[in-house]
Amino acid sequence: MNNLYNNILSYIILPIYDLLMGEDIYNQLSFLLKSQFWTKDEIINYQENKLHNLVTYSYFNVPFYTNIFNKIGLKPEDIRNLSDLQKLPILSKNDIRNGIRKGELIDKNANIKKFK
């Protein structure tokens, strides 16, 4: 009986809720149920892929990071795994404050009107 409730929740209620509320809980749940059984290599591969995507996106869409990368001669493809993170400079509070003040730490694609 418990399995029936889980199936109703997972395959009927969550997709409807997601559709009505503009959420993505069903897909996140599906991903977690699948990825919980990944091997260590699969987890590392996933993490490194996400890291590379984040660095690449930041480089092309956040002027602050574009400037930092260009200043030290780094390209997004130079950051592929966790050990490559040491290539990035450590930011100080002043770096972050200046980036915010200049508006360089905001994604160029962000809708500022939606900021709270």
Side-chain angles (χ1 to χ4, degrees):
M1 192 67 129
N2 195 19
N3 199 20
L4 174 65
Y5 291 125
N6 285 340
N7 286 338
I8 290 172
L9 176 67
S10 296
Y11 298 109
I12 298 172
I13 295 175
L14 278 179
I16 292 171
Y17 175 84
D18 285 351
L19 185 64
L20 294 174
M21 303 304 288
E23 297 289 339
D24 194 26
I25 297 171
Y26 175 76
N27 288 332
Q28 291 176 24
L29 177 62
S30 297
F31 171 76
L32 291 172
L33 290 172
K34 198 172 24 171
S35 64
Q36 70 179 328
F37 300 108
W38 284 357
T39 64
K40 182 179 179 180
D41 287 339
E42 289 172 317
I43 292 169
I44 290 170
N45 186 45
Y46 175 80
Q47 289 174 333
E48 289 177 346
N49 185 44
K50 286 294 196 178
L51 171 64
H52 178 70
N53 291 343
L54 175 64
V55 169
T56 301
Y57 184 88
S58 298
Y59 177 78
F60 288 109
N61 295 288
V62 182
F64 183 81
Y65 289 106
T66 306
N67 294 338
I68 285 179
F69 271 60
N70 291 341
K71 187 177 183 179
I72 62 175
L74 200 60
K75 295 179 180 70
E77 54 269 16
D78 295 333
I79 309 296
R80 286 238 164 246
N81 56 53
L82 297 176
S83 64
D84 290 336
L85 285 174
Q86 66 186 345
K87 296 176 183 177
L88 297 173
I90 295 174
L91 303 181
S92 68
K93 285 185 181 181
N94 262 351
D95 294 331
I96 294 169
R97 285 185 187 123
N98 290 335
I100 291 171
R101 186 175 34 77
K102 294 177 183 175
E104 294 178 345
L105 262 172
I106 298 173
D107 182 337
K108 292 188 290 190
N109 302 313
N111 184 350
I112 296 174
K113 293 178 183 176
K114 289 187 177 183
F115 283 11
K116 293 183 180 179

